[in-house]
Amino acid sequence: MGAKFGKIKAAVLGGAMAMGAAPSAMADGMDYETVTDLLHLVMSSDRTVYTRMIVNRLAVQEKVITASEHFEDDKALVLPAQMFRFGAEMVAEETDEFTYSLLSLWPINKQNAPTTDMEKEGLEYIAANPGENFYGEEELGGTTYFTAVYPDIAVAEACYACHNDHKDSPKTDFQAGDVMGGVVIRIPMDG
Amino acid sequence: MLRNRTLWLIWIALTLIIAGVAFTRLYLGGPRLTFMPGETAGVHHQIELACETCHTSSPFASQKKVRKDINKTCTTCHKEELKASNDSHPIKKFKNPRMASYWERIDARFCTSCHSEHQPEITLAGLLTLPQDYCVACHSEGDQDVRVNRPSHADLGFETCASSGCHNYHDNRAIYEDFLVKHAGQPWLKDAAQHPAATVARNRARPSEDEVQAYLASVRAPEDKRDDVIDGHWAASAHAAADVTCASCHAPDAETPDAVEAAWVDAPGEAICADCHRAEAKTFALGRHGMRSHPKIAKPRDAKKMLRALGLKKPPEALISAIEAYVDDPSPAPRMSTAEARVPLLPDAHGQDLTCNTCHKPHEQDLNFAAVGACLSCHADDHSQSYTDSPHHDLWQAELAGDLPPGSAVTCATCHMPQTERDGIVTTNHNQNDTLRPNEKMIRPVCMECHSLEFAIDALADPDLVARNFSGQPDRHIDSIDWAVSRVSQPDEGANQ
């Protein structure tokens, strides 16, 4: 998908995130696609762990605590989508080197609907082509970004049960293993 | 001819020198108000002479850098409040480039997009410098179109979103949809209406007569400093019970009687109070009474540093002392005083500084004065002066008379300095402005201890009722709870924002 080499920046990012990636790749500089793939691997692994081992176990299987959007007021677990967003916002406060978000064509919170043409294209692509990722370049606010979209899969009952039951969900027939949305990762290419 | 030219040159040089000296004096040491582009809004006047408190960017910095730096200076004081508000539009939400199309409407990445200082002609309440219908910029089209998402809102004007008691840009803790639904349909006044933290505080055992006598016998102070009235006040106070002795405040580092006498300070400063009462001192510095003692207010400028910044690596001491002798940095006084206040005050209040002792006598523990008397000895606005005729005042009198249980009283401090309790320790918020502006901030920590959410929303949306200090009932009803309940019971009415 025409990924250019952003050697220095990508090498720094890759160095921070690679966790044992081949040293030769670092020496040569990594392409954007490799960097976003590695970033996504960390994100999706942490996200799956939280969803399965915390929320699904405690809220769905053992029923010892609930998960709620208003987790403070309700003394409840943070929703997996909030967990992901809080992390993304914390990253945004620390660096401009990359940004990420969890979006969907069927969001409960409309803020998480696609806002750019490429987000829409990417989300449609990953929904139509299960197992594939989407990569592209787009210009936003005068800056060109490498944009990668990864499928976000219903990994536990907690995911689809909650979305199917929520009064504001535009889609109520999600099943285990469905693509429910996508993780969008962006790296600025110029500057 | 030559003489003429020389005279001209001398004249120009002298003009420049005199103008430069006058400018320096004005900028460095004179009334810096001369340079202010426009009046500051609200309480910023208290710190406006310390320009560098907000303006931290270096000269000729880019506009982008300046806006980022101003964000930082805003959050220096307002960070905690924004964090506590569970901000609905935090800056971090708008930094993602996917929000780029919104940056062109209102650039919510920068505080100054909505809150522009020094613009008195266009400044609305809350230092808002956009027209009141600013929500229209983002919530009138596409996925965010509120009229599509909420059929009940179809005929509402955008100027009413944030002015009706329904929505705030930042703080929606008490008025978000699920909270409205959760607290719908409750009676306007609870049966047992008490403030739990106040109940804990006021149920504390008072010292017995024997204990007071024991404390009195333990007083140790230089003979010429002793005073029977003071001793009596102290012995009955929480300080005595907590082993805070005369020397603890008047000679804090002295250990022997001789050392106490040598180190004795007749009127210890506020720093002594703040040594123990840290949470109170910290919150006091965030409110209008104490904001001048905020640690981040720019200090008087340092001549040496300024000369270094101008490129003089080793400025001669003589030059530094000459400048320091010539200019007198007019940083704001360390304390706010009633003379500088811009709210209605009683004539008798003029000329007072605001220190701990303004509301708290140093030896006598008189919380009734701190909770009501002190406030009413200065504040002359309708709301304050109506308090003594209000039902809240009646509750206070009834509690004092023993007719109502502890924690039933509603004093000025109950609402404006709400108390919180944790592990038996009660903390009083000394930022009197924390629950004001927007006044819905008061609903959860204060109003809902006794009233229903619905009543609180209606009452706070009625400015006349607020001015009468809540004598009577609200003259309006805000539909937000009804609409939220109806949307939940009829989920097809539109999707969540």
Side-chain angles (χ1 to χ4, degrees):
Chain A
M1 289 297 297
K4 293 178 192 166
F5 278 82
K7 289 187 183 176
I8 298 173
K9 194 178 291 176
V12 171
L13 279 173
M17 307 299 299
M19 303 189 311
S24 62
M26 281 178 64
D28 294 342
M30 268 190 254
D31 56 40
Y32 289 115
E33 195 173 310
T34 310
V35 175
T36 56
D37 282 357
L38 291 171
L39 286 171
H40 175 253
L41 188 59
V42 177
M43 292 170 195
S44 72
S45 302
D46 286 353
R47 174 160 163 72
T48 304
V49 167
Y50 180 69
T51 306
R52 282 192 181 145
M53 296 176 69
I54 311 279
V55 177
N56 201 64
R57 179 173 66 89
L58 295 174
V60 178
Q61 294 172 345
E62 299 176 8
K63 295 193 184 350
V64 293
I65 186 171
T66 55
S68 164
E69 179 188 351
H70 313 294
F71 50 89
E72 283 168 318
D73 282 349
D74 297 342
K75 312 276 178 240
L77 293 173
V78 171
L79 296 177
Q82 290 177 305
M83 182 83 174
F84 194 83
R85 178 160 58 84
F86 295 153
E89 288 173 351
M90 197 179 273
V91 166
E93 286 184 315
E94 294 294 320
T95 182
D96 297 325
E97 302 282 320
F98 73 104
T99 57
Y100 64 100
S101 39
L102 178 63
L103 307 178
S104 174
L105 296 169
W106 315 280
I108 289 177
N109 184 336
K110 295 213 162 190
Q111 284 165 17
N112 300 321
T115 56
T116 74
D117 291 342
M118 181 152 285
E119 283 178 353
K120 191 155 186 291
E121 188 188 345
L123 290 172
E124 283 168 357
Y125 181 87
I126 56 164
N129 300 280
E132 288 190 46
N133 307 327
F134 175 92
Y135 304 97
E137 287 174 27
E138 62 184 331
E139 194 189 316
L140 297 169
T143 304
T144 306
Y145 293 90
F146 176 79
T147 301
V149 185
Y150 299 88
D152 192 61
I153 312 286
V155 294
E157 187 186 346
C159 314
Y160 57 86
C162 178
H163 274 256
N164 288 344
D165 289 347
H166 200 286
K167 74 178 191 316
D168 293 324
S169 178
K171 184 170 156 71
T172 53
D173 58 352
F174 286 116
Q175 294 175 356
D178 278 0
V179 174
M180 296 181 69
V183 172
V184 178
I185 305 177
R186 283 191 183 86
I187 299 180
M189 300 177 79
D190 32 63
Chain B
M1 192 60 196
L2 188 65
R3 188 163 160 263
N4 241 352
R5 202 165 86 178
T6 312
L7 281 175
W8 269 110
L9 285 175
I10 290 172
W11 187 83
I12 290 169
L14 276 177
T15 306
L16 287 176
I17 289 169
I18 291 170
V21 169
F23 182 85
T24 309
R25 175 127 197 181
L26 272 176
Y27 179 70
L28 291 174
R32 298 172 95 193
L33 282 172
T34 316
F35 297 101
M36 207 160 65
E39 265 185 43
T40 53
V43 285
H44 286 166
H45 76 87
Q46 287 194 35
I47 54 168
E48 68 188 6
L49 285 179
C51 311
E52 293 83 358
T53 305
C54 300
H55 299 283
T56 56
S57 308
S58 51
F60 310 111
S62 71
Q63 192 61 30
K64 198 176 162 193
K65 174 89 169 74
V66 170
R67 289 199 296 178
K68 274 191 177 174
D69 287 344
I70 297 245
N71 270 3
K72 278 188 204 152
T73 58
C74 298
T75 48
T76 298
C77 293
H78 297 283
K79 186 178 185 177
E80 292 297 321
E81 149 186 40
L82 284 168
K83 195 174 159 199
S85 76
N86 197 10
D87 193 357
S88 309
H89 295 82
I91 283 171
K92 60 191 175 190
K93 194 180 255 184
F94 294 91
K95 284 181 78 177
N96 193 306
R98 67 186 299 266
M99 305 304 276
S101 64
Y102 290 96
W103 300 343
E104 292 155 16
R105 305 176 204 185
I106 292 176
D107 198 341
R109 294 172 299 169
F110 303 103
C111 308
T112 45
S113 299
C114 304
H115 305 287
S116 183
E117 253 302 0
H118 305 292
Q119 309 240 32
E121 298 85 2
I122 57 162
T123 303
L124 304 174
L127 220 171
L128 174 67
T129 45
L130 287 179
Q132 185 76 57
D133 62 351
Y134 59 89
C135 307
V136 74
C138 299
H139 293 281
S140 59
E141 57 187 72
D143 285 322
Q144 294 290 335
D145 191 341
V146 73
R147 293 161 303 191
V148 173
N149 294 327
R150 295 280 189 280
S152 54
H153 290 40
D155 299 326
L156 302 177
F158 278 97
E159 77 284 0
T160 63
C161 308
S163 63
S164 59
C166 293
H167 302 283
N168 290 315
Y169 182 86
H170 293 294
D171 191 332
N172 291 291
R173 268 176 292 178
I175 45 184
Y176 69 82
E177 188 181 63
D178 291 346
F179 192 77
L180 297 176
V181 172
K182 191 172 166 183
H183 297 278
Q186 293 175 354
W188 79 282
L189 183 62
K190 287 183 189 172
D191 285 340
Q194 282 165 37
H195 199 289
T199 304
V200 172
R202 289 176 204 170
N203 268 328
R204 278 208 199 98
R206 311 299 296 176
S208 67
E209 189 52 37
D210 287 351
E211 284 170 318
V212 170
Q213 289 307 323
Y215 295 145
L216 274 176
S218 76
V219 171
R220 296 284 176 275
E223 269 314 308
D224 61 327
K225 305 295 181 190
R226 293 290 297 268
D227 179 309
D228 287 346
V229 176
I230 289 177
D231 290 358
H233 283 156
W234 172 81
S237 77
H239 278 160
D243 200 25
V244 177
T245 64
C246 309
S248 302
C249 300
H250 289 281
D253 297 323
E255 287 175 9
T256 63
D258 286 346
V260 167
E261 188 153 6
W264 188 270
V265 176
D266 277 339
E270 285 180 309
I272 293 289
C273 311
D275 256 357
C276 296
H277 298 278
R278 283 184 196 160
E280 287 75 11
K282 190 181 166 198
T283 49
F284 182 66
L286 288 171
R288 294 182 171 199
H289 284 160
M291 60 186 273
R292 278 192 176 165
S293 55
H294 194 285
K296 292 289 184 183
I297 291 184
K299 301 284 179 291
R301 282 144 300 163
D302 183 322
K304 197 170 178 179
K305 272 189 196 159
M306 292 183 81
L307 288 171
R308 273 193 194 144
L310 288 172
L312 282 172
K313 286 200 175 143
K314 281 186 186 166
E317 287 298 324
L319 182 59
I320 296 168
S321 43
I323 290 177
E324 279 173 353
Y326 177 59
V327 297
D328 170 31
D329 197 307
S331 288
R335 294 274 159 263
M336 184 57 182
S337 76
T338 53
E340 294 171 89
R342 297 188 183 176
V343 296
L345 295 181
L346 297 168
D348 289 352
H350 284 294
Q352 284 198 43
D353 274 352
L354 262 162
T355 69
C356 304
N357 286 166
T358 311
C359 306
H360 299 284
K361 293 170 192 169
H363 302 104
E364 184 181 13
Q365 185 176 345
D366 184 352
L367 293 180
N368 287 327
F369 181 74
V372 176
C375 317
L376 295 186
S377 64
C378 289
H379 287 277
D381 56 278
D382 291 342
H383 174 80
S384 303
Q385 292 300 314
S386 303
Y387 172 70
T388 46
D389 295 324
S390 75
H392 286 156
H393 175 262
D394 294 344
L395 293 172
W396 181 45
Q397 294 302 308
E399 181 181 322
L400 289 180
D403 296 335
L404 284 174
S408 310
V410 181
T411 64
C412 306
T414 309
C415 302
H416 297 286
M417 305 175 69
Q419 292 177 307
T420 46
E421 183 261 339
R422 194 172 167 188
D423 300 334
I425 295 177
V426 176
T427 309
T428 303
N429 186 347
H430 277 60
N431 172 2
Q432 303 82 359
N433 306 96
D434 199 27
T435 51
L436 297 168
R437 294 207 184 158
N439 65 13
E440 290 89 12
K441 285 168 104 174
M442 193 175 274
I443 293 178
R444 289 183 64 165
V446 177
C447 310
M448 284 182 70
E449 300 290 2
C450 302
H451 294 285
S452 69
L453 176 60
E454 185 177 2
F455 176 80
I457 291 175
D458 292 350
L460 291 171
D462 177 355
D464 290 336
L465 185 63
V466 175
R468 293 199 305 276
N469 211 309
F470 305 104
S471 292
Q473 291 287 318
D475 69 355
R476 65 198 69 195
H477 174 60
I478 306 301
D479 292 319
S480 49
I481 292 184
D482 312 330
W483 288 353
V485 169
S486 110
R487 207 181 77 82
V488 169
S489 56
Q490 297 165 322
D492 295 337
E493 284 279 292
N496 193 19
Q497 275 287 296

